[in-house]
Amino acid sequence: MKILTSQKDLENALSDLTLRPVDYLKLEKFGDLGFNCGCGNVHSLNDEFYAAKIFSAEPDKQLYMCKNSPAITFVQIDKGILTDEVITLWTAKIDLFQDYGMDIIKKNKSYINVKSQFE
């Protein structure tokens, strides 16, 4: 898992994504499949008690905000033939996202897909 620590890191991670609304991925079919959160714990893709979904991205990616720590975590779901797997791509402190993330997302070519979530 990569740890983003600067505005440039966050810009590189967010600028080329194809953004989708938070409910774009139908995660219910993955049951209790979990991901390694930036807080150090494993959270379920579907348990919003510990981690809230912020937005989805193509293909099969989801950004979460941890409710136990000041972390955001970006994951990718790899759908396998026999088993599915979640790969944590990166994590960052929520402060970094709050300071720069929305400005970066608003410049994204697919921002129109998620604009209503942030208004």
Side-chain angles (χ1 to χ4, degrees):
M1 157 183 9
K2 183 174 182 172
I3 300 172
L4 307 183
T5 58
S6 69
Q7 177 183 357
K8 183 73 171 163
D9 288 344
L10 191 62
E11 190 171 314
N12 289 338
L14 295 174
S15 60
D16 290 332
L17 295 175
T18 300
L19 304 173
R20 297 292 177 199
V22 71
D23 60 352
Y24 176 76
L25 295 176
K26 304 304 178 205
L27 298 174
E28 297 80 24
K29 63 185 170 190
F30 296 106
D32 288 331
L33 190 61
F35 66 93
N36 292 317
C37 182
C39 74
N41 292 317
V42 175
H43 301 311
S44 169
L45 293 174
N46 291 302
D47 185 357
E48 293 213 31
F49 183 78
Y50 293 106
K53 299 170 196 162
I54 298 177
F55 63 76
S56 298
E58 291 184 16
D60 302 323
K61 296 175 183 172
Q62 189 78 41
L63 181 65
Y64 287 91
M65 179 182 64
C66 183
K67 294 183 178 180
N68 293 330
S69 73
I72 59 169
T73 304
F74 193 61
V75 301
Q76 179 170 334
I77 301 143
D78 283 343
K79 299 173 194 169
I81 295 171
L82 299 175
T83 60
D84 300 319
E85 178 184 17
V86 180
I87 300 166
T88 300
L89 299 174
W90 55 262
T91 188
K93 291 188 176 178
I94 192 68
D95 292 348
L96 183 66
F97 185 77
Q98 290 171 333
D99 290 347
Y100 306 109
M102 284 310 302
D103 290 336
I104 295 167
I105 288 170
K106 286 178 181 177
K107 293 176 188 173
N108 186 296
K109 64 187 178 300
S110 59
Y111 175 66
I112 191 78
N113 296 334
V114 295
K115 183 178 179 180
S116 63
Q117 284 182 207
F118 297 108
E119 292 180 336

